[in-house]
Each structure stands twice: as C-alpha cells, then as structure tokens.
Amino acid sequence: MNLMDQKFAELKAAGRTALIPFLTVGDPDLDTTVELIIQMEAAGADVLELGVPYSDPLADGPVIQRASERALTSSVTIGTCIDIAQKARQRGVKIPFVLFTYFNPVLQIGLEDFFQQLAAHDISGLIIPDLPIEESAQVLELADTAGISLVPLVAPTSNERISRILTNARGFIYCVSSLGVTGERSSFHEGVEQFINDVKSRTDLPVAVGFGISNREQVERFSSICDGVVVGSAIVRKIEDTIPLLTDSERREEGLLQIREFVAQLKV
Amino acid sequence: MTQVPDENGRFGDFGGRYVPETLMNALIELEEAYRKYSQEPAFQEEIDYLLKQYSGRETPLFYAERLTKHLGGAKIYLKREDLNHTGAHKINNAIGQGILAKRMGKGKVIAETGAGQHGVATATVAALLGLECKVFMGEEDMKRQQLNVFRMKLLGAEVVPVVSGTRTLKDACNEALRYWVSHVQDTFYILGSATGPHPYPMMVRNFQRIIGDETRRQILESEGRLPDLIVAAVGGGSNAIGMFYPFVEDTSVKLLGVEAAGRGVETEYHAATMTKGTKGVFQGSLSYLLQDAFGQVLPAHSISAGLDYPGIGPEHSYLKDIERARYAPITDQEALDALQLLSQTEGIIPALESAHAVAQVIKESPKLASDQIIVICLSGRGDKDVESIMGYLGGDPS
C-alpha cells in the first residue's frame, strides 16, 4: 500500500473527502513551488497534484496553459518536477504526491528510468491525460512494478468504456466533471451526479472529481458524493494573481499566506 | 507489404490515439461511421460527384516541357492539384469529411488552418452542404494570410484567432482539439492533414489518394509506364501521402517528400521534422517530431505557413523507417527561387508549399537521364502567397 492508498484509507475511516489541489511546478519559479507545497499541506490538502509544464497541453484551458508557459521560460523539465517532490519532503511535507504529465515528456525520459525516478522520489501516483487505456498497457505494467498508481480519467462520454477503465485503475478514479478542458466553471455536465454515482457503484477504489471545480460551494456539492475533489485552475489562477507578491522578497510571506488562506477556505 | 494502419491505428510503431479520454468515444464512433459509410456505394458516388462537378476533377497531369528542357534531365510532369476549386488539394479531404459529417448527423464542423487553404476548403464545403463552420487559425498566420481569412468570412465561416503558444498551425490544431473536447456531441472536426489521432491519418489519406490514383492512370496513358520519381511537399503530409499511397507497392517508383528547411536545418528556424526530429507523441499520434531533450515541442519556421509545423503524419514516419520513401529539406530561399522559375518557364505560380517540391526537383532532375520521368505534386496555387512573395522579393521579381 503506497502513501496515497494509506491516505485514502485514513480519510475513509474518518468519513472525510480528500481535498486535492493542483499546481504547475515552476510557476512562477521552483523555489516558490516548494514554498507553495508547504502552504498547501498547511492549508489542509490531503493529496497534491504536481503538474509538469508542457508546451502543448491539450487537456488544459487558458489558466494552466499560461502557468505552463511561465514555468517553461525558466527551463523546468519533467526531471526537475520529480526532484521537487524530494525537496518538499526534505522540508517536512508528508502528504502524498501525484504527478500530472502529458505523455511525451515521459516517453523522452524513457519509461523505465521515469518510474525508477518516481519511486526514488516518493511520488505515489501518476496521471497522464493523453494516455487512454488503448495505449497504456506498458506504462501500467511498469507503474505496477514500481508501486506507482496509474490513475485513470473517466469522462461523461466514456459510457461502455468505463468498465474497462476501472479494471485497470489504480489509486483512485478521476472523474471529469464536464466535457471540455480544465478551467473554472459555473456549471457542470448535466447528470454529473448520476455519472459519478455510476462510477462509484462499480469500483472499490476512491472516486475523485475534477475539472472546473473552483469554489467552496462546488467543493461542498461534490464532497457529499465523492471521495476526493480536485481543484486546479482556480488555485493556479490565484497563484497567477499573487505573482507580484510571490516574486517580491519583501512581500513573499504575504503572498504565500494568501494562497494558504485560499486553499484553506476550500477545505470542507 | 502489410496493410497499414492496423486496428489500433498503428503504422508500424507510429500513429495510435493519444488523446484525452473525453474524445475516445468520438474517435471510435468516427472510425465506425467512416468504415460503414465508405462501404456504401452511394457515399462514394456523392463524393465522386462533388469532386468532378464541383471541384473540377480530374486534375490534369501536365508535361512541363520548358522546365524539363531548362533543367536538362528527366521528363517532368506536374499533377495540377492547384486547379482544384479553392486552389489546392485540401478540398479533396474537406469534401469527404464534410459528407461524412452530414451522414453522421453533425450540423457543425470545425477545422484548423495554417496557410488558410484547409480553412477555405472547409468553409467552402460547409457552405455547400449547409453546415455551421468555425475555423481556428493562429494569429500569426492570420497576419500572413489575410486574404484567406477574408475569404473564409465571405464563405460564412467564423475565424477564431488562436493566441496560445506560437500562434501558428500547431496551436490552431491544439485549440481545435480543445474546442472539440467541449463540443464533441454535436460537432465534427474536419482535420486537414494526415496527422492527429487514429482514424484521421488513415481517413485523410484515403480521401487524398485520388491524387495518386489519377496520376497513375494518367501517366500510364501518356507514357505507358510508371514514373521513376514522385516528389511532393510535406508539412503534415496530406498531399504527399495521397500521391504516394497508390504507388507504395510499386518499388520501381521512388517516393520523395520535401520538408521546409526554413533558414537552414543548421539554424533554429526550420520545419525539417524528418531531417532533425525524433520520435514523440504530438497531437494524438506517435511520429517524428521537432522537440527538445525533455519532450517539449519546438516551434517550427517556414516561409510557407502550410509547412510551418513541428510534426508530420505517422504514415510518413513509417515510410521513412521502412525506407520506402525519402525526405529532403528545402530552404525558404530555394523555394522562392523555384517559385520564380516555375512561374517563368511554365506560366504557373505555385503555392510556396508546392514550390518546395519544385525546388527539390531542380536538384534531382539533372541527375536523371532524359528517358526518366518525374512527377511533382503541385499541391496548390500561389495566389494566396503573391502578397507575401512581393514582400520577400521587394516587388521586383528578377
């Protein structure tokens, strides 16, 4: 049982829903990312998604696209993203990490090296948004060997694919709340509750929901039916808005506190 | 040679379907619909009718006698895809996918465009078939191709400026895919090149193979034999794969794809995916790709917006790896020179994309004997480029 599985088991025993924030590693810079991870944990994050910046983020909306562009200007690589996990551990962070990355950077490192690095850096899970089950056999095998959970995405359009996806799922199931890319939303796919309940009824793994969840009210709504809620773009936007503070050595603490408070008020 | 792609959309190692889960069922439905309708004679008849009566096919295979004499080597023929309605081969595919969209009951179509030719072709077919049309185009390309932007609007399409990333074709594709993820239930994505996730590379090839099928028939009529060399420009590679595919089994016919070397393959400013690229996953398929060591996609550069793309269709990567086709780079300057040469020897102003193929033939032809035959796929006409060429040549063609 890896760290993330333990976490979900504890939460289940306590009858709580996991708050899963997302941030783009290297936005606005690597040192700040480590500080932000510390703040997220302090704010009550249960699991943290570490986003690897990518030049062509097909599943992401404008907010995370901009974060990627900012991170890439300082030459952040998938390797530095993995290293960040260890840097955070050295600073005492205990929560499990899930790496969110597009497939091409993984392919360029080489699959075997990649999984060795994940295991060596205490990363528990992996989400690859452009790797559907048809293409994932080898990745899944290596992930299993390394003890890393390959977390699948399930979409409202998955329909009869759901059972095949669930068969190969590890860690938790990531339900996509809506058709579309990541980004804050005021409304979700019609029948999203039914979709989530359907997935829940067919798996013993925790079920989390993400894409578009951006405020406390929405977190509450989904917490009542899910085991985890992912908040991405709303946090990344908050980070973006706070960059002037975060990059000013005299006002950095103030910026970090703002992010912490923003994440803390999402905690149900 | 085995049939490609296989049932997983693989051309050897290449191809596949690397897309967000939300799109997977749409791609599966698309493949099923395509396989079903392409079995129906009425579907093919409708396409054939429009290709003939609307686009003006078949396009001529023209013996370029003065160019041949000027270069002093092999006999050069031009496959005149530039004479299609809307001025390029792109209409072949747009008609096919447009009719498929209609059969599938999708009233809305989207497309990406670089030079604007595929956007214009899609807007044209959408008008013809009564479909609502949105075209995604990089802001940078919109500046380079203002006439085509206006043309699309005249045809009733909405042109959506893309301001993400490099603001060129690659990001227009990303934005079209993102839009499709959000509107997958009522929208058909008319993808313009032999790229993207399966089934697009296969489907686009099959809609474009009419270029090679006609060429084969025409050259047998005029010369009584197959050509020795076929040359076509490659961005994503749809005109080239359409031209090459019917000749793949004819091993006596050499296949040569020409990619954009921009300011030179030794600089950072090129789109020479085959010469400089490595294997990677990009926009839904595994193929050769211009990328850095960490898998970030590099920006491409070419004088020609249609070749300004860091990826290439997976079937081309396959043909390269099995050594069935060869790929060569041509610089901006060589393409400009070739454009002028063809204009002045044959009275045909080619598109900048097609001028790359002509430029490569300038190099190849003198090496061949006078009884050998080269066919160039003249994929588009140069009207759209005249203004930017005037800029490059300072208004004074020599």
Side-chain angles (χ1 to χ4, degrees):
Chain A
M1 194 182 251
N2 75 23
L3 192 59
M4 186 167 68
D5 298 332
Q6 281 172 31
K7 184 61 148 188
F8 274 110
E10 282 166 32
L11 289 168
K12 190 173 180 185
R16 283 188 41 232
T17 301
L19 176 63
I20 312 175
F22 168 99
L23 55 75
T24 299
V25 177
D27 172 35
D29 57 65
L30 289 168
D31 287 343
T32 307
T33 296
V34 176
E35 299 301 329
L36 288 170
I37 293 172
I38 293 166
Q39 298 302 327
M40 302 261 171
E41 180 174 55
D46 297 295
V47 175
L48 186 64
E49 266 189 52
L50 301 173
V52 177
Y54 186 51
S55 56
D56 294 79
L58 265 186
D60 286 303
V63 173
I64 295 178
Q65 286 174 40
R66 288 198 300 270
S68 271
E69 282 180 25
R70 284 192 296 271
L72 288 173
T73 55
S74 53
S75 305
V76 171
T77 69
I78 189 167
T80 48
C81 294
I82 295 171
D83 287 341
I84 276 287
Q86 205 164 40
K87 291 208 171 83
R89 288 278 180 264
Q90 284 161 4
R91 297 280 304 275
V93 173
K94 301 269 191 299
I95 52 173
F97 296 124
V98 178
L99 196 75
F100 178 104
T101 177
Y102 288 86
F103 188 47
N104 196 46
V106 174
L107 202 57
Q108 301 313 316
I109 290 193
L111 294 181
E112 292 186 7
D113 272 8
F114 172 69
F115 281 105
Q116 272 174 17
Q117 288 186 40
L118 289 189
H121 290 74
D122 199 16
I123 290 174
S124 308
L126 175 64
I127 298 171
I128 307 182
D130 56 349
L131 194 73
I133 37 175
E134 284 80 354
E135 310 291 353
S136 71
Q138 197 193 356
V139 172
L140 181 64
E141 195 186 316
L142 291 166
D144 283 348
T145 307
I148 311 287
S149 303
L150 183 65
V151 173
L153 295 168
V154 182
T157 50
S158 294
N159 302 330
E160 70 283 2
R161 296 168 55 77
I162 293 177
S163 52
R164 278 174 65 207
I165 296 172
L166 296 182
T167 305
N168 291 313
R170 307 285 188 270
F172 66 94
I173 315 295
Y174 190 141
C175 288
V176 176
S177 70
S178 322
L179 302 184
V181 293
T182 59
E184 300 120 298
R185 285 182 175 76
S186 53
S187 67
F188 298 93
H189 188 66
E190 207 181 313
V192 63
E193 273 94 357
Q194 199 192 334
F195 160 61
I196 292 167
N197 283 327
D198 180 41
V199 173
K200 275 183 75 174
S201 69
R202 295 157 71 173
T203 180
D204 294 329
L205 287 174
V207 173
V209 63
F211 279 45
I213 298 168
S214 44
N215 58 42
R216 185 180 168 90
E217 189 194 339
Q218 293 168 344
V219 174
E220 278 173 358
R221 172 181 166 192
F222 287 107
S223 285
S224 62
I225 54 168
C226 288
D227 306 302
V229 178
V230 181
V231 183
S233 295
I235 291 173
V236 174
R237 183 192 290 279
K238 181 69 193 171
I239 293 171
E240 178 175 60
D241 291 345
T242 316
I243 288 175
L245 300 182
L246 293 171
T247 52
D248 177 344
S249 57
E250 285 175 16
R251 304 188 66 193
R252 188 176 172 86
E253 290 305 319
E254 185 187 341
L256 291 170
L257 185 65
Q258 283 188 17
I259 307 288
R260 178 171 166 172
E261 283 170 352
F262 183 79
V263 177
Q265 56 86 30
L266 293 170
K267 176 92 175 166
V268 174
Chain B
M1 201 170 286
T2 51
Q3 279 296 309
V4 286
D6 68 15
E7 71 276 19
N8 298 313
R10 291 281 170 178
F11 303 84
D13 288 345
F14 302 101
R17 265 179 301 211
Y18 297 89
V19 294
E21 173 60 27
T22 307
L23 288 182
M24 281 305 294
N25 264 323
L27 291 172
I28 292 165
E29 271 168 33
L30 174 62
E31 184 184 356
E32 282 168 359
Y34 171 68
R35 289 196 192 277
K36 174 179 155 210
Y37 291 120
S38 54
Q39 302 295 316
E40 289 179 10
F43 177 74
Q44 195 54 49
E45 278 161 22
E46 194 177 348
I47 292 174
D48 291 346
Y49 172 80
L50 289 180
L51 288 173
K52 179 167 188 231
Q53 303 296 347
Y54 186 68
S55 189
R57 298 200 76 94
E58 65 181 33
T59 59
L61 183 69
F62 177 69
Y63 171 44
E65 192 174 357
R66 288 202 354 110
L67 180 67
T68 297
K69 287 198 173 125
H70 178 86
L71 296 176
K75 243 179 137 172
I76 299 167
Y77 281 85
L78 306 174
K79 178 59 174 168
R80 299 290 310 276
E81 290 301 300
D82 59 317
L83 293 178
N84 271 302
H85 179 45
T86 72
H89 70 288
K90 294 289 186 187
I91 193 88
N92 302 331
N93 171 51
I95 286 174
Q97 289 196 46
I99 291 174
L100 182 57
K102 230 177 153 161
R103 293 282 165 121
M104 290 175 71
K106 310 266 182 184
K108 297 175 183 173
V109 296
I110 55 167
E112 83 295 341
T113 198
Q117 291 306 96
H118 175 58
V120 167
T122 303
T124 299
V125 168
L128 175 73
L129 300 177
L131 303 166
E132 210 178 298
C133 178
K134 267 192 204 340
V135 179
F136 293 84
M137 187 169 189
E139 209 176 43
E140 195 59 34
D141 289 336
M142 287 178 74
K143 275 185 228 152
R144 291 195 273 191
Q145 303 287 344
Q146 290 175 25
L147 270 180
N148 271 344
V149 174
F150 186 66
R151 213 168 264 152
M152 287 184 268
K153 290 180 180 168
L154 268 182
L155 290 160
E158 181 191 344
V159 181
V160 183
V162 173
V163 297
S164 57
T166 59
R167 304 178 183 210
T168 60
L169 177 57
K170 129 180 139 68
D171 296 283
C173 292
N174 287 343
E175 221 46 63
L177 279 165
R178 289 184 186 119
Y179 181 89
W180 197 34
V181 173
S182 311
H183 299 84
V184 63
Q185 285 164 323
D186 64 352
T187 300
F188 187 107
Y189 180 14
I190 300 188
L191 208 157
S193 197
T195 55
H198 180 63
Y200 282 105
M202 169 186 78
M203 195 167 71
V204 174
R205 173 197 74 197
N206 291 349
F207 287 137
Q208 292 291 2
R209 67 169 291 170
I210 191 161
I211 304 172
D213 286 334
E214 284 179 6
T215 299
R216 189 187 179 89
R217 195 166 62 236
Q218 289 166 317
I219 198 78
L220 287 173
E221 266 168 34
S222 56
E223 293 283 345
R225 71 180 188 88
L226 295 177
D228 300 283
L229 175 64
I230 295 177
V231 184
V234 187
S238 71
N239 88 83
I241 206 68
M243 178 58 120
F244 291 174
Y245 185 60
F247 293 95
V248 165
E249 311 261 321
D250 302 303
T251 48
S252 68
V253 181
K254 292 195 175 73
L255 306 175
L256 175 52
V258 185
E259 56 184 10
R263 293 181 209 162
V265 294
E266 69 288 351
T267 71
E268 287 172 31
Y269 305 97
H270 62 77
T273 309
M274 290 303 203
T275 309
K276 304 289 278 190
T278 50
K279 290 178 190 180
V281 165
F282 177 56
Q283 293 178 342
S285 58
L286 177 70
S287 197
Y288 282 99
L289 173 65
L290 295 175
Q291 58 183 328
D292 70 15
F294 308 105
Q296 304 292 346
V297 180
L298 294 170
H301 166 86
S302 170
I303 190 174
S304 131
L307 303 184
D308 193 348
Y309 185 66
I312 190 166
E315 191 162 5
H316 284 293
S317 293
Y318 172 69
L319 292 177
K320 174 186 156 81
D321 268 23
I322 64 168
E323 297 182 350
R324 179 62 192 92
R326 174 165 79 85
Y327 295 83
I330 282 291
T331 63
D332 290 349
Q333 188 58 52
E334 289 170 328
L336 276 173
D337 293 344
L339 182 142
Q340 293 174 84
L341 180 66
L342 189 69
S343 300
Q344 288 161 24
T345 53
E346 299 294 345
I348 297 169
I349 302 174
L352 277 168
E353 290 78 12
S354 322
H356 284 71
V358 176
Q360 186 63 27
V361 167
I362 294 173
K363 296 181 183 179
E364 302 286 332
S365 182
K367 295 188 244 169
L368 300 181
S370 61
D371 62 347
Q372 294 198 288
I373 300 165
I374 299 176
V375 175
I376 302 175
C377 186
L378 207 72
S379 55
R381 59 177 172 245
D383 305 32
K384 70 181 172 67
D385 296 317
V386 168
E387 203 184 340
S388 59
I389 295 164
M390 199 162 77
Y392 286 112
L393 300 179
D396 180 27
S398 51

